[in-house]
Short mmCIF file of all heavy atoms in Angstrom, two decimals:
data_model
loop_
_atom_site.label_atom_id
_atom_site.label_comp_id
_atom_site.label_asym_id
_atom_site.label_seq_id
_atom_site.Cartn_x
_atom_site.Cartn_y
_atom_site.Cartn_z
N CYS G 173 82.50 103.69 88.52
CA CYS G 173 81.61 104.21 87.48
C CYS G 173 82.35 105.30 86.65
O CYS G 173 82.17 105.42 85.45
CB CYS G 173 80.34 104.77 88.08
SG CYS G 173 79.20 103.48 88.67
N LEU G 174 83.19 106.06 87.37
CA LEU G 174 84.00 107.07 86.64
C LEU G 174 84.93 106.41 85.68
O LEU G 174 85.14 106.90 84.53
CB LEU G 174 84.77 107.92 87.67
CG LEU G 174 85.67 108.99 87.06
CD1 LEU G 174 84.89 109.99 86.19
CD2 LEU G 174 86.42 109.73 88.19
N ARG G 175 85.55 105.32 86.08
CA ARG G 175 86.47 104.57 85.17
C ARG G 175 85.66 104.04 83.98
O ARG G 175 86.19 103.98 82.87
CB ARG G 175 87.14 103.45 85.93
CG ARG G 175 88.21 103.98 86.94
CD ARG G 175 89.07 102.82 87.44
NE ARG G 175 88.35 101.88 88.27
CZ ARG G 175 88.21 101.95 89.58
NH1 ARG G 175 88.75 102.99 90.21
NH2 ARG G 175 87.53 101.05 90.24
N VAL G 176 84.46 103.60 84.18
CA VAL G 176 83.58 103.11 83.12
C VAL G 176 83.35 104.25 82.12
O VAL G 176 83.41 104.04 80.90
CB VAL G 176 82.27 102.58 83.66
CG1 VAL G 176 81.27 102.31 82.50
CG2 VAL G 176 82.48 101.28 84.42
N VAL G 177 83.05 105.45 82.62
CA VAL G 177 82.80 106.57 81.75
C VAL G 177 84.03 106.85 80.86
O VAL G 177 83.93 107.07 79.63
CB VAL G 177 82.41 107.82 82.53
CG1 VAL G 177 82.39 109.09 81.64
CG2 VAL G 177 81.08 107.63 83.24
N LEU G 178 85.23 106.84 81.51
CA LEU G 178 86.45 107.08 80.74
C LEU G 178 86.70 105.95 79.71
O LEU G 178 87.16 106.26 78.58
CB LEU G 178 87.62 107.20 81.73
CG LEU G 178 87.58 108.34 82.70
CD1 LEU G 178 88.74 108.28 83.67
CD2 LEU G 178 87.54 109.70 81.96
N ALA G 179 86.41 104.73 80.11
CA ALA G 179 86.59 103.62 79.17
C ALA G 179 85.67 103.72 77.94
O ALA G 179 86.04 103.45 76.80
CB ALA G 179 86.35 102.31 79.86
N THR G 180 84.43 104.14 78.18
CA THR G 180 83.48 104.27 77.07
C THR G 180 83.84 105.44 76.16
O THR G 180 83.64 105.37 74.95
CB THR G 180 82.03 104.49 77.55
OG1 THR G 180 81.94 105.55 78.49
CG2 THR G 180 81.54 103.19 78.27
N PHE G 181 84.43 106.51 76.72
CA PHE G 181 84.92 107.61 75.89
C PHE G 181 86.04 107.09 74.99
O PHE G 181 86.11 107.45 73.82
CB PHE G 181 85.45 108.77 76.77
CG PHE G 181 84.41 109.76 77.09
CD1 PHE G 181 84.01 110.03 78.39
CD2 PHE G 181 83.77 110.53 76.07
CE1 PHE G 181 83.08 111.00 78.66
CE2 PHE G 181 82.80 111.45 76.33
CZ PHE G 181 82.43 111.72 77.66
N ALA G 182 86.95 106.31 75.57
CA ALA G 182 88.03 105.75 74.76
C ALA G 182 87.55 104.82 73.70
O ALA G 182 88.03 104.88 72.54
CB ALA G 182 89.00 105.02 75.71
N LEU G 183 86.57 104.01 74.05
CA LEU G 183 85.99 103.06 73.03
C LEU G 183 85.34 103.87 71.90
O LEU G 183 85.51 103.50 70.73
CB LEU G 183 84.96 102.19 73.73
CG LEU G 183 84.17 101.25 72.78
CD1 LEU G 183 85.07 100.25 72.08
CD2 LEU G 183 83.08 100.49 73.61
N SER G 184 84.56 104.88 72.24
CA SER G 184 83.90 105.69 71.25
C SER G 184 84.87 106.41 70.34
O SER G 184 84.74 106.46 69.10
CB SER G 184 82.97 106.71 71.90
OG SER G 184 82.33 107.50 70.95
N PHE G 185 85.97 106.91 70.96
CA PHE G 185 86.98 107.57 70.16
C PHE G 185 87.64 106.63 69.18
O PHE G 185 87.84 106.95 67.98
CB PHE G 185 88.04 108.16 71.11
CG PHE G 185 89.16 108.90 70.41
CD1 PHE G 185 89.01 110.22 69.95
CD2 PHE G 185 90.37 108.28 70.17
CE1 PHE G 185 90.06 110.86 69.27
CE2 PHE G 185 91.44 108.95 69.51
CZ PHE G 185 91.21 110.24 69.10
N CYS G 186 88.01 105.42 69.63
CA CYS G 186 88.63 104.46 68.74
C CYS G 186 87.72 103.98 67.65
O CYS G 186 88.07 103.88 66.48
CB CYS G 186 89.09 103.21 69.58
SG CYS G 186 90.42 103.55 70.74
N TYR G 187 86.43 103.76 68.01
CA TYR G 187 85.46 103.29 67.03
C TYR G 187 85.28 104.31 65.90
O TYR G 187 85.31 104.02 64.75
CB TYR G 187 84.12 103.03 67.76
CG TYR G 187 83.08 102.30 66.99
CD1 TYR G 187 82.90 100.95 67.07
CD2 TYR G 187 82.28 103.01 66.05
CE1 TYR G 187 81.92 100.26 66.39
CE2 TYR G 187 81.31 102.34 65.29
CZ TYR G 187 81.14 100.98 65.48
OH TYR G 187 80.18 100.36 64.73
N ASN G 188 85.08 105.60 66.34
CA ASN G 188 84.85 106.63 65.37
C ASN G 188 86.09 106.98 64.56
O ASN G 188 86.04 107.26 63.38
CB ASN G 188 84.29 107.88 66.06
CG ASN G 188 82.87 107.76 66.45
OD1 ASN G 188 81.93 107.89 65.66
ND2 ASN G 188 82.64 107.45 67.74
N GLY G 189 87.24 106.89 65.23
CA GLY G 189 88.52 107.15 64.51
C GLY G 189 88.74 106.07 63.42
O GLY G 189 89.14 106.40 62.33
N PHE G 190 88.45 104.84 63.76
CA PHE G 190 88.64 103.75 62.76
C PHE G 190 87.64 103.93 61.61
O PHE G 190 87.98 103.76 60.44
CB PHE G 190 88.41 102.42 63.52
CG PHE G 190 88.49 101.23 62.56
CD1 PHE G 190 89.78 100.80 62.11
CD2 PHE G 190 87.38 100.56 62.17
CE1 PHE G 190 89.84 99.71 61.23
CE2 PHE G 190 87.45 99.46 61.30
CZ PHE G 190 88.68 99.03 60.85
N GLY G 191 86.38 104.23 61.99
CA GLY G 191 85.40 104.41 60.95
C GLY G 191 85.69 105.60 60.03
O GLY G 191 85.49 105.53 58.85
N LEU G 192 86.18 106.69 60.61
CA LEU G 192 86.50 107.88 59.84
C LEU G 192 87.64 107.59 58.90
O LEU G 192 87.64 108.05 57.76
CB LEU G 192 86.86 109.02 60.80
CG LEU G 192 87.22 110.36 60.10
CD1 LEU G 192 86.08 110.91 59.33
CD2 LEU G 192 87.70 111.40 61.19
N ALA G 193 88.60 106.82 59.33
CA ALA G 193 89.74 106.51 58.49
C ALA G 193 89.31 105.68 57.27
O ALA G 193 89.76 105.94 56.15
CB ALA G 193 90.82 105.74 59.25
N LEU G 194 88.38 104.77 57.46
CA LEU G 194 87.92 103.91 56.35
C LEU G 194 87.01 104.76 55.42
O LEU G 194 87.01 104.59 54.20
CB LEU G 194 87.12 102.72 56.88
CG LEU G 194 88.01 101.68 57.63
CD1 LEU G 194 87.06 100.54 58.11
CD2 LEU G 194 89.09 101.10 56.74
N ALA G 195 86.23 105.68 56.06
CA ALA G 195 85.31 106.51 55.24
C ALA G 195 86.12 107.44 54.38
O ALA G 195 85.77 107.69 53.20
CB ALA G 195 84.38 107.31 56.15
N VAL G 196 87.21 108.01 54.86
CA VAL G 196 88.05 108.89 54.06
C VAL G 196 88.66 108.14 52.90
O VAL G 196 88.86 108.73 51.75
CB VAL G 196 89.13 109.51 54.95
CG1 VAL G 196 90.18 110.26 54.06
CG2 VAL G 196 88.53 110.46 55.94
N GLN G 197 88.93 106.89 53.06
CA GLN G 197 89.49 106.08 51.99
C GLN G 197 88.45 105.62 50.96
O GLN G 197 88.78 104.88 50.04
CB GLN G 197 90.26 104.88 52.55
CG GLN G 197 91.44 105.28 53.44
CD GLN G 197 92.10 104.05 54.13
OE1 GLN G 197 92.25 103.01 53.48
NE2 GLN G 197 92.51 104.18 55.36
N GLY G 198 87.22 105.95 51.24
CA GLY G 198 86.17 105.57 50.33
C GLY G 198 85.74 104.12 50.42
O GLY G 198 85.12 103.56 49.50
N ARG G 199 85.97 103.47 51.56
CA ARG G 199 85.64 102.09 51.75
C ARG G 199 84.22 101.88 52.34
O ARG G 199 83.74 100.74 52.47
CB ARG G 199 86.65 101.36 52.63
CG ARG G 199 88.04 101.39 52.06
CD ARG G 199 89.04 100.57 52.86
NE ARG G 199 90.36 100.58 52.34
CZ ARG G 199 91.36 99.85 52.77
NH1 ARG G 199 91.17 99.03 53.81
NH2 ARG G 199 92.57 99.95 52.24
N PHE G 200 83.61 102.95 52.74
CA PHE G 200 82.24 102.91 53.25
C PHE G 200 81.29 103.60 52.30
O PHE G 200 81.59 104.72 51.81
CB PHE G 200 82.16 103.63 54.61
CG PHE G 200 82.64 102.76 55.77
CD1 PHE G 200 82.86 103.42 56.99
CD2 PHE G 200 82.95 101.46 55.59
CE1 PHE G 200 83.31 102.64 58.08
CE2 PHE G 200 83.38 100.72 56.66
CZ PHE G 200 83.59 101.31 57.91
N THR G 201 80.23 103.00 51.98
CA THR G 201 79.18 103.65 51.23
C THR G 201 78.31 104.46 52.17
O THR G 201 78.30 104.25 53.42
CB THR G 201 78.28 102.63 50.49
OG1 THR G 201 77.57 101.86 51.47
CG2 THR G 201 79.12 101.72 49.61
N PRO G 202 77.57 105.43 51.70
CA PRO G 202 76.68 106.20 52.61
C PRO G 202 75.71 105.32 53.36
O PRO G 202 75.44 105.58 54.58
CB PRO G 202 75.94 107.10 51.65
CG PRO G 202 76.83 107.31 50.48
CD PRO G 202 77.56 105.98 50.33
N ILE G 203 75.24 104.25 52.76
CA ILE G 203 74.28 103.34 53.47
C ILE G 203 74.96 102.65 54.61
O ILE G 203 74.45 102.58 55.75
CB ILE G 203 73.70 102.32 52.50
CG1 ILE G 203 72.83 103.06 51.48
CG2 ILE G 203 72.83 101.28 53.23
CD1 ILE G 203 72.21 102.12 50.39
N VAL G 204 76.21 102.16 54.40
CA VAL G 204 76.95 101.50 55.45
C VAL G 204 77.27 102.47 56.60
O VAL G 204 77.15 102.12 57.82
CB VAL G 204 78.24 100.92 54.91
CG1 VAL G 204 79.16 100.34 56.04
CG2 VAL G 204 77.98 99.83 53.89
N SER G 205 77.64 103.65 56.27
CA SER G 205 77.90 104.69 57.30
C SER G 205 76.65 104.97 58.11
O SER G 205 76.70 105.14 59.36
CB SER G 205 78.42 105.97 56.65
OG SER G 205 79.58 105.76 55.94
N ALA G 206 75.48 105.08 57.44
CA ALA G 206 74.22 105.35 58.16
C ALA G 206 73.88 104.19 59.12
O ALA G 206 73.23 104.39 60.14
CB ALA G 206 73.13 105.55 57.16
#
Side-chain angles (χ1 to χ4, degrees):
C173 289
L174 178 59
R175 290 193 292 269
V176 169
V177 172
L178 296 177
T180 53
F181 269 120
L183 174 63
S184 179
F185 180 80
C186 294
Y187 191 100
N188 286 280
F190 178 75
L192 180 62
L194 294 179
V196 170
Q197 298 175 39
R199 299 187 181 186
F200 281 168
T201 65
I203 295 179
V204 173
S205 299

